[in-house]
Amino acid sequence: MSGTWQAFLGAVYTGSGTTFRVWSPTASTIELIFTDDKGEPVKDPVALKKNEDNYWEATVQSAQPGTLYKYKIDGKGPFPDLVSRFQPHGVHGPSMVVDPNAYKWSHKGFVTRNLRDCVIYEMHIGTFTQEGTYKAAADKLDYISDLGVTCIEILPLADWPGRWNWGYDGVALYSPSRAYGTPDELRALIDKAHGLGLTVVLDAVYNHLGPDGNYTGCYTSEYMSSTHNTPWGQALNLDGKHSAGVRRFLLENSLYWLNEYHFDGFRFDATHALGDDCEHPA
């Protein structure tokens, strides 16, 4: 992807400090809470300021990669960040500031294959190896390449509660599952795949969120649709009031995986269940 990418949502590390940004059109106050591993506060809260587009933000120079945090919404919580880049202690625990530029890529110039040239291998990280980790999967990529495979499709990575999951109950759309390893271990997997000439696509689920660890309603009810449902739960709000903010949340998620992890494309799950009856988002 282009080097002009600039993340907007979530905790964006700037190289010196971190800008924290949250979308909520209905909250009256949002406070940033720095925590320890157990989610207990370790500093005084920081009040976020709201702009005219319903984004709340604050920049904290002392917040460095590895810093843990949550948010209080109208005095309730604290809750994990909906745009958390990593949940090291699970989807109910604190979120972590991540520096996406710390990893040094070896194969930045990889050229993605045309779809018609792809021999696709569907890979579930948790079952592909006995260890069920990004690192273990990377160690076995030579076997995949030797099969004649030219593209691996990694099943959904958005974090979920617990250790085992097929990935279709994800709730933390920006957080690659900690059950498989760290963000940089995922980057190393993709980097090695590119070194072997393998295109890497991600199975992305945008039609619903899982039932356990979905904190969208704690920030605002506007994330979820009041008119559309899916066989797996309530649909996201793509065509109702304030749906423009939800669309941005999903669009930036796709750009995030392409730019911060160098995925080459997506397999979008059950697109028929993306309920959208309007021409222009509100």
Side-chain angles (χ1 to χ4, degrees):
M1 293 294 292
S2 169
T4 59
W5 156 256
Q6 178 59 58
F8 179 75
L9 296 174
V12 180
Y13 180 62
T14 64
S16 55
T18 301
T19 295
F20 297 84
R21 193 172 286 114
V22 176
W23 179 74
S24 177
T26 56
S28 297
T29 63
I30 298 182
E31 291 180 308
L32 171 63
I33 310 295
F34 294 109
T35 78
D36 60 16
D37 289 349
K38 296 180 180 180
E40 296 298 323
V42 294
K43 296 181 180 179
D44 291 335
V46 176
L48 274 64
K49 294 183 179 180
K50 184 179 181 181
N51 68 21
E52 59 185 13
D53 295 319
N54 298 314
Y55 290 99
W56 300 71
E57 67 177 61
T59 298
V60 182
Q61 296 300 323
S62 62
Q64 299 295 305
T67 296
L68 299 175
Y69 68 97
K70 284 187 167 185
Y71 292 111
K72 277 191 174 182
I73 314 299
D74 293 336
K76 298 178 181 179
F79 308 111
D81 186 359
L82 299 182
V83 191
S84 169
R85 282 165 165 73
F86 194 44
Q87 290 293 121
H89 303 291
V91 297
H92 300 295
S95 305
M96 177 182 282
V97 175
V98 173
D99 179 7
N101 297 313
Y103 181 83
K104 303 305 178 186
W105 294 89
S106 298
H107 304 285
K108 282 185 177 181
F110 178 76
V111 178
T112 303
R113 291 177 183 270
N114 190 292
L115 181 60
R116 66 172 178 266
D117 298 322
C118 287
V119 178
I120 302 174
Y121 183 99
E122 185 179 85
M123 180 183 292
H124 181 269
I125 299 296
T127 60
F128 179 61
T129 65
Q130 286 187 331
E131 298 87 348
T133 64
Y134 303 125
K135 186 178 185 302
D139 291 340
K140 297 292 186 181
L141 285 179
D142 292 294
Y143 293 92
I144 297 298
S145 180
D146 290 345
L147 283 175
V149 169
T150 60
C151 174
I152 56 176
E153 174 198 330
I154 298 180
L155 267 63
L157 296 177
D159 212 356
W160 57 80
R163 174 66 177 91
W164 305 109
N165 198 293
W166 285 115
Y168 295 94
D169 284 324
V171 290
L173 294 189
Y174 286 73
S175 177
S177 178
R178 87 285 167 209
Y180 300 152
T182 68
D184 278 354
E185 287 170 342
L186 173 58
R187 292 184 175 95
L189 166 62
I190 297 168
D191 202 10
K192 183 173 181 180
H194 286 165
L196 293 170
L198 296 169
T199 292
V200 187
V201 299
L202 177 65
D203 194 342
V205 182
Y206 292 146
N207 48 65
H208 78 291
L209 296 171
D212 185 4
N214 173 10
Y215 285 95
T216 56
C218 299
Y219 286 78
T220 177
S221 61
E222 304 298 340
Y223 269 104
M224 308 309 291
S225 175
S226 59
T227 57
H228 298 288
N229 284 291
T230 77
W232 317 283
Q234 194 175 9
L236 276 85
N237 172 27
L238 301 178
D239 59 1
K241 185 179 180 181
H242 296 301
S243 59
V246 183
R247 286 172 176 255
R248 180 167 192 168
F249 171 71
L250 297 179
L251 288 170
E252 180 152 333
N253 182 255
S254 293
L255 291 170
Y256 158 78
W257 291 115
L258 294 174
N259 286 278
E260 295 194 12
Y261 285 90
H262 293 197
F263 276 98
D264 301 303
F266 299 94
R267 178 263 179 187
F268 292 111
D269 180 67
T271 55
H272 67 277
L274 295 170
D276 183 0
D277 294 332
C278 76
E279 294 184 5
H280 303 288

